[in-house]
CSV table of all heavy atoms in Angstrom, one decimal:
chain,number,residue,atom,x,y,z
A,938,PRO,N,115.5,73.5,122.5
A,938,PRO,CA,116.7,72.9,121.9
A,938,PRO,C,117.3,71.8,122.8
A,938,PRO,O,118.0,70.9,122.4
A,938,PRO,CB,117.7,74.0,121.7
A,938,PRO,CG,117.2,75.2,122.5
A,938,PRO,CD,115.7,75.0,122.6
A,939,GLY,N,117.1,71.9,124.1
A,939,GLY,CA,117.5,70.9,125.1
A,939,GLY,C,119.0,70.5,125.0
A,939,GLY,O,119.9,71.3,125.3
A,940,ASP,N,119.3,69.3,124.5
A,940,ASP,CA,120.6,68.7,124.6
A,940,ASP,C,121.6,69.5,123.7
A,940,ASP,O,122.8,69.6,124.0
A,940,ASP,CB,120.6,67.3,124.0
A,940,ASP,CG,119.8,66.3,125.0
A,940,ASP,OD1,119.7,66.7,126.2
A,940,ASP,OD2,119.4,65.3,124.5
A,941,HIS,N,121.1,70.2,122.7
A,941,HIS,CA,122.0,71.0,121.8
A,941,HIS,C,122.6,72.2,122.6
A,941,HIS,O,123.7,72.6,122.5
A,941,HIS,CB,121.2,71.5,120.6
A,941,HIS,CG,120.6,70.4,119.8
A,941,HIS,ND1,121.3,69.4,119.2
A,941,HIS,CD2,119.3,70.2,119.6
A,941,HIS,CE1,120.5,68.6,118.6
A,941,HIS,NE2,119.2,69.0,118.8
A,942,VAL,N,121.8,72.7,123.6
A,942,VAL,CA,122.2,73.8,124.4
A,942,VAL,C,123.2,73.2,125.5
A,942,VAL,O,124.2,73.8,125.8
A,942,VAL,CB,121.1,74.5,125.1
A,942,VAL,CG1,121.6,75.5,126.1
A,942,VAL,CG2,120.1,75.0,124.1
A,943,SER,N,122.9,72.0,126.0
A,943,SER,CA,123.8,71.4,127.0
A,943,SER,C,125.2,71.2,126.4
A,943,SER,O,126.2,71.4,127.0
A,943,SER,CB,123.2,70.1,127.5
A,943,SER,OG,121.9,70.4,128.1
A,944,TRP,N,125.2,70.7,125.2
A,944,TRP,CA,126.5,70.5,124.5
A,944,TRP,C,127.3,71.8,124.4
A,944,TRP,O,128.5,71.8,124.6
A,944,TRP,CB,126.2,70.0,123.1
A,944,TRP,CG,127.4,69.5,122.3
A,944,TRP,CD1,127.9,68.2,122.2
A,944,TRP,CD2,128.4,70.3,121.6
A,944,TRP,NE1,129.0,68.1,121.5
A,944,TRP,CE2,129.4,69.4,121.1
A,944,TRP,CE3,128.5,71.6,121.4
A,944,TRP,CZ2,130.4,69.9,120.4
A,944,TRP,CZ3,129.6,72.1,120.6
A,944,TRP,CH2,130.5,71.2,120.1
A,945,GLU,N,126.6,72.9,124.0
A,945,GLU,CA,127.2,74.2,123.9
A,945,GLU,C,127.8,74.7,125.2
A,945,GLU,O,128.9,75.3,125.2
A,945,GLU,CB,126.3,75.2,123.3
A,945,GLU,CG,126.9,76.6,123.0
A,945,GLU,CD,128.0,76.5,122.1
A,945,GLU,OE1,128.0,75.7,121.2
A,945,GLU,OE2,128.9,77.4,122.2
A,946,CYS,N,127.1,74.5,126.3
A,946,CYS,CA,127.5,75.1,127.5
A,946,CYS,C,128.6,74.3,128.2
A,946,CYS,O,129.3,74.7,129.1
A,946,CYS,CB,126.3,75.1,128.5
A,946,CYS,SG,125.0,76.3,128.0
A,947,SER,N,128.8,73.1,127.7
A,947,SER,CA,129.9,72.2,128.3
A,947,SER,C,131.2,72.5,127.6
A,947,SER,O,131.4,72.1,126.5
A,947,SER,CB,129.5,70.8,128.2
A,947,SER,OG,130.5,70.0,128.7
A,948,SER,N,132.1,73.2,128.3
A,948,SER,CA,133.3,73.6,127.6
A,948,SER,C,134.3,72.4,127.5
A,948,SER,O,135.2,72.4,126.8
A,948,SER,CB,134.0,74.7,128.4
A,948,SER,OG,134.2,74.3,129.8
A,949,SER,N,134.0,71.3,128.3
A,949,SER,CA,134.9,70.2,128.3
A,949,SER,C,134.5,69.1,127.3
A,949,SER,O,135.2,68.2,127.1
A,949,SER,CB,134.8,69.5,129.7
A,949,SER,OG,133.5,69.1,130.0
A,950,SER,N,133.3,69.4,126.7
A,950,SER,CA,132.8,68.4,125.7
A,950,SER,C,133.7,68.4,124.4
A,950,SER,O,133.8,69.5,123.8
A,950,SER,CB,131.4,68.6,125.4
A,950,SER,OG,130.9,67.7,124.4
A,951,GLN,N,134.2,67.3,124.0
A,951,GLN,CA,135.0,67.3,122.8
A,951,GLN,C,134.3,66.4,121.7
A,951,GLN,O,134.9,66.1,120.7
A,951,GLN,CB,136.4,66.7,123.1
A,951,GLN,CG,137.1,67.5,124.1
A,951,GLN,CD,137.5,68.9,123.6
A,951,GLN,OE1,137.6,69.1,122.4
A,951,GLN,NE2,137.5,69.8,124.6
A,952,ILE,N,133.1,66.0,122.0
A,952,ILE,CA,132.4,65.1,121.1
A,952,ILE,C,131.9,65.9,119.9
A,952,ILE,O,131.2,66.9,120.1
A,952,ILE,CB,131.2,64.4,121.8
A,952,ILE,CG1,131.7,63.5,123.0
A,952,ILE,CG2,130.4,63.5,120.8
A,952,ILE,CD1,130.6,62.9,123.8
A,953,GLU,N,132.2,65.5,118.7
A,953,GLU,CA,131.7,66.2,117.6
A,953,GLU,C,130.4,65.6,117.2
A,953,GLU,O,130.2,64.4,116.9
A,953,GLU,CB,132.7,66.0,116.4
A,953,GLU,CG,134.0,66.7,116.7
A,953,GLU,CD,134.9,66.7,115.4
A,953,GLU,OE1,134.4,66.2,114.4
A,953,GLU,OE2,136.0,67.2,115.5
A,954,SER,N,129.4,66.5,117.2
A,954,SER,CA,128.0,66.0,116.8
A,954,SER,C,127.8,65.9,115.3
A,954,SER,O,128.1,66.9,114.6
A,954,SER,CB,127.0,67.0,117.4
A,954,SER,OG,125.7,66.6,117.0
A,955,PRO,N,127.4,64.8,114.9
A,955,PRO,CA,127.2,64.7,113.4
A,955,PRO,C,125.8,65.2,113.0
A,955,PRO,O,125.4,65.1,111.9
A,955,PRO,CB,127.2,63.2,113.2
A,955,PRO,CG,126.7,62.6,114.5
A,955,PRO,CD,127.1,63.5,115.6
A,956,MET,N,125.1,65.8,114.0
A,956,MET,CA,123.7,66.3,113.7
A,956,MET,C,123.7,67.4,112.7
A,956,MET,O,124.5,68.3,112.8
A,956,MET,CB,123.1,66.7,115.0
A,956,MET,CG,121.6,67.1,114.8
A,956,MET,SD,120.6,65.7,114.6
A,956,MET,CE,120.7,64.8,116.2
A,957,MET,N,122.9,67.3,111.7
A,957,MET,CA,122.7,68.3,110.7
A,957,MET,C,121.6,69.3,111.0
A,957,MET,O,120.6,68.9,111.7
A,957,MET,CB,122.4,67.7,109.3
A,957,MET,CG,123.4,66.6,108.9
A,957,MET,SD,125.1,67.2,108.8
A,957,MET,CE,125.1,68.2,107.4
A,958,LEU,N,121.8,70.5,110.6
A,958,LEU,CA,120.8,71.5,110.9
A,958,LEU,C,119.4,71.1,110.4
A,958,LEU,O,118.4,71.3,111.1
A,958,LEU,CB,121.2,72.9,110.3
A,958,LEU,CG,120.2,74.0,110.5
A,958,LEU,CD1,120.0,74.3,111.9
A,958,LEU,CD2,120.7,75.3,109.8
A,959,LYS,N,119.3,70.6,109.2
A,959,LYS,CA,118.0,70.3,108.6
A,959,LYS,C,117.3,69.2,109.4
A,959,LYS,O,116.0,69.2,109.3
A,959,LYS,CB,118.2,69.8,107.1
A,959,LYS,CG,119.0,68.5,107.0
A,959,LYS,CD,119.1,68.1,105.6
A,959,LYS,CE,119.9,66.7,105.5
A,959,LYS,NZ,119.2,65.6,106.1
A,960,ASP,N,118.0,68.4,110.2
A,960,ASP,CA,117.4,67.3,110.9
A,960,ASP,C,116.8,67.8,112.2
A,960,ASP,O,116.0,67.1,112.8
A,960,ASP,CB,118.4,66.2,111.2
A,960,ASP,CG,118.9,65.6,109.9
A,960,ASP,OD1,118.1,65.5,109.0
A,960,ASP,OD2,120.1,65.1,109.9
A,961,VAL,N,117.2,69.0,112.7
A,961,VAL,CA,116.7,69.5,114.0
A,961,VAL,C,115.7,70.6,113.8
A,961,VAL,O,115.0,71.0,114.7
A,961,VAL,CB,117.9,70.0,114.9
A,961,VAL,CG1,118.8,68.9,115.2
A,961,VAL,CG2,118.6,71.2,114.3
A,962,LEU,N,115.5,71.0,112.6
A,962,LEU,CA,114.5,72.0,112.3
A,962,LEU,C,113.1,71.4,112.4
A,962,LEU,O,113.0,70.2,112.4
A,962,LEU,CB,114.7,72.6,110.9
A,962,LEU,CG,115.9,73.4,110.6
A,962,LEU,CD1,116.0,73.9,109.2
A,962,LEU,CD2,116.0,74.6,111.6
A,963,ASP,N,112.1,72.2,112.6
A,963,ASP,CA,110.7,71.7,112.8
A,963,ASP,C,110.3,70.9,111.6
A,963,ASP,O,110.1,71.5,110.5
A,963,ASP,CB,109.8,72.9,113.0
A,963,ASP,CG,108.4,72.5,113.6
A,963,ASP,OD1,108.1,71.3,113.5
A,963,ASP,OD2,107.7,73.3,114.2
A,964,GLN,N,110.2,69.6,111.8
A,964,GLN,CA,109.9,68.7,110.6
A,964,GLN,C,108.4,68.9,110.2
A,964,GLN,O,108.1,68.4,109.1
A,964,GLN,CB,110.1,67.3,111.1
A,964,GLN,CG,111.5,67.0,111.5
A,964,GLN,CD,112.5,67.3,110.4
A,964,GLN,OE1,112.4,66.8,109.2
A,964,GLN,NE2,113.6,68.1,110.7
A,965,ARG,N,107.6,69.5,111.0
A,965,ARG,CA,106.2,69.8,110.5
A,965,ARG,C,106.1,70.7,109.4
A,965,ARG,O,105.1,70.8,108.7
A,965,ARG,CB,105.4,70.3,111.7
A,965,ARG,CG,105.2,69.3,112.8
A,965,ARG,CD,104.6,69.9,114.1
A,965,ARG,NE,105.5,70.9,114.7
A,965,ARG,CZ,105.2,71.5,115.9
A,965,ARG,NH1,104.1,71.2,116.5
A,965,ARG,NH2,106.1,72.4,116.4
A,966,LEU,N,107.2,71.5,109.1
A,966,LEU,CA,107.2,72.4,108.0
A,966,LEU,C,108.0,72.0,106.8
A,966,LEU,O,108.3,72.8,105.9
A,966,LEU,CB,107.7,73.8,108.5
A,966,LEU,CG,106.8,74.6,109.5
A,966,LEU,CD1,107.4,75.9,109.7
A,966,LEU,CD2,105.4,74.7,108.9
A,967,SER,N,108.4,70.7,106.9
A,967,SER,CA,109.2,70.1,105.8
A,967,SER,C,110.5,71.0,105.4
A,967,SER,O,110.5,71.7,104.4
A,967,SER,CB,108.4,69.9,104.5
A,967,SER,OG,107.3,69.1,104.8
A,968,PRO,N,111.5,70.9,106.3
A,968,PRO,CA,112.7,71.8,106.1
A,968,PRO,C,113.3,71.6,104.7
A,968,PRO,O,114.0,72.5,104.1
A,968,PRO,CB,113.6,71.3,107.2
A,968,PRO,CG,112.7,70.8,108.2
A,968,PRO,CD,111.6,70.1,107.5
A,969,SER,N,113.2,70.4,104.1
A,969,SER,CA,113.8,70.1,102.8
A,969,SER,C,113.2,70.9,101.7
A,969,SER,O,113.8,71.1,100.6
A,969,SER,CB,113.7,68.6,102.5
A,969,SER,OG,112.3,68.2,102.4
A,970,ARG,N,112.0,71.5,102.0
A,970,ARG,CA,111.3,72.3,101.0
A,970,ARG,C,111.4,73.8,101.2
A,970,ARG,O,110.6,74.6,100.7
A,970,ARG,CB,109.8,71.9,100.9
A,970,ARG,CG,109.6,70.4,100.5
A,970,ARG,CD,108.1,70.1,100.4
A,970,ARG,NE,107.9,68.7,100.1
A,970,ARG,CZ,106.7,68.2,100.0
A,970,ARG,NH1,105.6,68.9,100.2
A,970,ARG,NH2,106.5,66.9,99.6
A,971,LEU,N,112.4,74.1,102.0
A,971,LEU,CA,112.6,75.6,102.4
A,971,LEU,C,112.9,76.4,101.1
A,971,LEU,O,113.8,76.0,100.3
A,971,LEU,CB,113.7,75.7,103.4
A,971,LEU,CG,113.4,75.9,104.9
A,971,LEU,CD1,114.6,75.8,105.7
A,971,LEU,CD2,112.7,77.2,105.1
A,972,HIS,N,112.3,77.5,101.0
A,972,HIS,CA,112.6,78.4,99.9
A,972,HIS,C,114.0,79.0,100.2
A,972,HIS,O,114.5,79.0,101.3
A,972,HIS,CB,111.6,79.5,99.8
A,972,HIS,CG,110.2,79.1,99.4
A,972,HIS,ND1,110.0,78.5,98.1
A,972,HIS,CD2,109.1,79.1,100.0
A,972,HIS,CE1,108.7,78.1,98.1
A,972,HIS,NE2,108.1,78.5,99.2
A,973,PHE,N,114.7,79.4,99.1
A,973,PHE,CA,116.1,79.8,99.2
A,973,PHE,C,116.2,81.0,100.2
A,973,PHE,O,117.1,81.0,101.1
A,973,PHE,CB,116.6,80.3,97.9
A,973,PHE,CG,118.0,80.7,97.9
A,973,PHE,CD1,119.0,79.8,98.0
A,973,PHE,CD2,118.4,82.0,97.8
A,973,PHE,CE1,120.4,80.1,98.0
A,973,PHE,CE2,119.7,82.4,97.8
A,973,PHE,CZ,120.7,81.5,97.9
A,974,ARG,N,115.3,82.0,100.1
A,974,ARG,CA,115.4,83.1,101.0
A,974,ARG,C,115.1,82.7,102.5
A,974,ARG,O,115.8,83.1,103.4
A,974,ARG,CB,114.4,84.2,100.6
A,974,ARG,CG,114.5,85.4,101.5
A,974,ARG,CD,113.7,86.6,100.9
A,974,ARG,NE,113.8,87.8,101.7
A,974,ARG,CZ,113.3,89.0,101.4
A,974,ARG,NH1,112.7,89.1,100.3
A,974,ARG,NH2,113.5,90.0,102.2
A,975,ASP,N,114.1,81.8,102.7
A,975,ASP,CA,113.8,81.3,104.0
A,975,ASP,C,115.0,80.6,104.6
A,975,ASP,O,115.3,80.6,105.8
A,975,ASP,CB,112.6,80.5,104.0
A,975,ASP,CG,111.3,81.3,103.8
A,975,ASP,OD1,111.3,82.5,104.0
A,975,ASP,OD2,110.3,80.7,103.3
A,976,ALA,N,115.6,79.8,103.7
A,976,ALA,CA,116.8,79.0,104.1
A,976,ALA,C,117.9,79.9,104.6
A,976,ALA,O,118.6,79.7,105.6
A,976,ALA,CB,117.3,78.1,103.0
A,977,GLN,N,118.2,81.0,103.9
A,977,GLN,CA,119.2,82.0,104.3
A,977,GLN,C,118.9,82.5,105.7
A,977,GLN,O,119.7,82.6,106.5
A,977,GLN,CB,119.2,83.1,103.3
A,977,GLN,CG,119.8,82.8,101.9
A,977,GLN,CD,119.8,83.9,101.0
A,977,GLN,OE1,118.9,84.7,100.9
A,977,GLN,NE2,120.9,84.1,100.2
A,978,ASP,N,117.6,82.9,105.9
A,978,ASP,CA,117.2,83.5,107.2
A,978,ASP,C,117.3,82.5,108.3
A,978,ASP,O,117.8,82.8,109.4
A,978,ASP,CB,115.8,84.0,107.1
A,978,ASP,CG,115.6,85.2,106.2
A,978,ASP,OD1,116.6,86.0,106.0
A,978,ASP,OD2,114.5,85.4,105.6
A,979,VAL,N,116.9,81.2,108.1
A,979,VAL,CA,117.0,80.2,109.1
A,979,VAL,C,118.4,79.9,109.5
A,979,VAL,O,118.8,79.8,110.7
A,979,VAL,CB,116.3,78.9,108.6
A,979,VAL,CG1,116.6,77.8,109.6
A,979,VAL,CG2,114.8,79.2,108.5
A,980,VAL,N,119.3,79.8,108.5
A,980,VAL,CA,120.8,79.6,108.8
A,980,VAL,C,121.3,80.7,109.6
A,980,VAL,O,122.1,80.5,110.6
A,980,VAL,CB,121.5,79.3,107.5
A,980,VAL,CG1,123.0,79.3,107.8
A,980,VAL,CG2,121.1,78.0,106.8
A,981,LEU,N,121.0,81.9,109.2
A,981,LEU,CA,121.5,83.1,109.9
A,981,LEU,C,121.0,83.1,111.4
A,981,LEU,O,121.8,83.4,112.3
A,981,LEU,CB,121.1,84.4,109.2
A,981,LEU,CG,121.4,85.7,109.9
A,981,LEU,CD1,122.9,85.9,110.1
A,981,LEU,CD2,120.9,86.9,109.2
């Protein structure tokens, strides 16, 4: 996850990331085609 972890660990960071979850998921599996149950599990 790289930079996403660095953002979380920095308590002084106030920058709101506009990044969406679907954009950081593994694109090789086409996140937009996630089945409903798989989507529930991934979000959790």
